[in-house]
Amino acid sequence: MNGKKVIALGLSAALCLSTLAACGAGSGASGSEQVVIYSNADEEAVAAMQNALDNNGYKGQYIFQTYGTSELGGKLMAEGTNLEADLVTMSTFYLQSAQDQNQMFLPLTFEVNTLTEVPDYTAPITSQEGAIILNTELMQSEGLPTPTSLKDLTDPVYAGQVAVTDIQSSSTAWLLIQALVNAYGEDGAQEVLSGIYDNCGAHIETSGSGPLKLCRAGEVAIGFGLRHQAVADKAEGMPIDYVDPEEGNFSLTESIAVLDKGDKTNPLAMEMAQCIIENGREELLKTYPNPLYEGETADLANQSAYPSVFSEPLTLDLFQAHQQLSEAAKG
């Protein structure tokens, strides 16, 4: 969900593939080209997926490239099956919109035992919630009251001390806008968002982790970002805390999908998707505590106070409508 520059995290194609065993049945590993994986995932999720692959026989057989959500979403919609990637992890709503438009993903050939029904071409990898983030030292030194709601962030007392993310570049901001629209309606949400933007000034960030980084650095006292990242910082003893906003902790899932390239489909792509789901969830749950599959449980200490689901299905059309609401709120 972060806006990142493209990075290649895989190893060289010169590595010998034939010596590497595959995850599970291990069919088809020898002689196959590297699987290209495109992802909008945060670094914690990327690390968990790479560990699942590397520890189960796929080390050196893939290249991982990360993108911001809007950038990767644009590529999915525009390029369809011509996308270079063999495997994609992406915000679920974008995968669904891309499939509706381009019919570009294969039905998954392994069992996906999720708690809620999902399309047969997706398997969720993470569920991420939003929260208000605080730099506790700056809150104290500036004598700032602790906010309990997103609407509180419009108070002039917080002028220059707030950072949020721009929904034009990162879907992290959608967690905030969903909460506002759900609580106050579209007109009320635009008004509240306008007040928040006024207090942000120049700190409307392009990266989903931008507000948290500003809080860590002590440049602002308050941010809105991914809840699990603030939980981790607090646990590590950093001067970071978090508040579950009264308007709700809304969430977005990211899922995995395999590109349908006909005869050119890399047979390892489906195997790697299965490997990530079957071997990556244990590590992913440590960072993203929301259960997604049968048999999973969450650490009660990490559960949010106001888990919420938006009243409408999350679609690309709704996302774009809320992007327009955000632009209007900027005045």
Side-chain angles (χ1 to χ4, degrees):
M1 299 173 78
N2 293 340
K4 301 176 181 174
K5 294 182 179 179
V6 179
I7 55 175
L9 299 175
L11 298 179
S12 168
L15 289 173
C16 178
L17 305 184
S18 61
T19 61
L20 297 171
C23 179
S27 61
S30 180
S32 296
E33 294 182 359
Q34 284 182 305
V35 170
V36 178
I37 305 172
Y38 281 3
S39 178
N40 75 324
D42 298 307
E43 59 186 19
E44 300 96 335
V46 171
M49 289 188 281
Q50 287 185 302
N51 288 337
L53 293 173
D54 292 351
N55 294 335
N56 290 279
Y58 288 111
K59 191 171 185 179
Q61 299 189 57
Y62 64 89
I63 297 172
F64 222 114
Q65 296 183 343
T66 62
Y67 297 83
T69 300
S70 294
E71 183 180 8
L72 182 52
K75 290 177 71 67
L76 289 173
M77 301 303 290
E79 298 179 28
T81 56
N82 292 321
L83 195 73
E84 180 188 7
D86 302 296
L87 189 62
V88 174
T89 82
M90 179 58 168
S91 300
T92 308
F93 74 91
Y94 250 124
L95 292 178
Q96 292 174 346
S97 295
Q99 179 74 343
D100 289 344
Q101 176 176 300
N102 298 321
Q103 293 298 304
M104 59 189 292
F105 302 120
L106 288 168
L108 299 178
T109 59
F110 54 92
E111 288 189 11
V112 180
N113 298 314
T114 48
L115 296 173
T116 58
E117 187 175 354
V118 298
D120 66 358
Y121 54 89
T122 66
I125 54 170
T126 64
S127 173
Q128 306 183 49
E129 292 181 311
I132 298 169
I133 302 167
L134 308 176
N135 178 306
T136 54
E137 292 177 351
L138 200 52
M139 291 290 292
Q140 183 175 3
S141 66
E142 296 294 321
L144 297 174
T146 300
T148 60
S149 69
L150 297 171
K151 193 172 185 178
D152 285 348
L153 303 185
T154 65
D155 191 323
V157 71
Y158 300 119
Q161 292 288 0
V162 181
V164 298
T165 305
D166 193 342
I167 193 175
Q168 297 297 332
S169 57
S170 173
S171 59
T172 299
W174 202 14
L175 301 172
L176 183 151
I177 294 175
Q178 283 182 52
L180 294 179
V181 172
N182 190 74
Y184 307 115
E186 290 195 0
D187 290 342
Q190 182 177 322
E191 182 179 353
V192 172
L193 192 58
S194 180
I196 293 174
Y197 285 163
D198 285 346
N199 279 344
C200 288
H203 292 310
I204 303 176
E205 302 297 306
T206 58
S207 166
S209 60
L212 175 61
K213 290 177 179 177
L214 290 174
C215 285
R216 286 172 178 165
E219 294 187 38
V220 297
I222 302 171
F224 181 89
L226 297 177
R227 187 180 188 275
H228 70 270
Q229 293 179 329
V231 170
D233 279 7
K234 182 178 180 179
E236 290 176 7
M238 298 177 68
I240 296 293
D241 204 349
Y242 54 93
V243 173
D244 292 325
E246 293 173 351
E247 292 91 348
N249 298 96
F250 285 78
S251 63
L252 287 171
T253 61
E254 294 178 357
S255 295
I256 199 163
V258 178
L259 270 290
D260 182 357
K261 297 189 173 185
D263 294 341
K264 296 181 179 179
T265 299
N266 191 322
L268 285 182
M270 189 69 71
E271 292 183 18
M272 288 190 187
Q274 181 174 359
C275 185
I276 287 170
I277 297 303
E278 293 182 354
N279 299 286
R281 283 292 299 159
E282 183 177 357
E283 182 176 347
L284 287 165
L285 274 169
K286 294 176 182 177
T287 304
Y288 310 89
N290 294 347
L292 295 172
Y293 290 85
E294 294 175 5
E296 292 183 346
T297 57
D299 182 351
L300 293 177
N302 286 339
Q303 287 188 309
S304 61
Y306 308 109
S308 303
V309 177
F310 196 67
S311 56
E312 299 177 46
L314 301 183
T315 64
L316 181 57
D317 287 343
L318 183 64
F319 182 65
Q320 291 171 338
H322 287 172
Q323 285 180 319
Q324 294 174 5
L325 185 154
S326 172
E327 288 302 295
K330 294 175 184 176

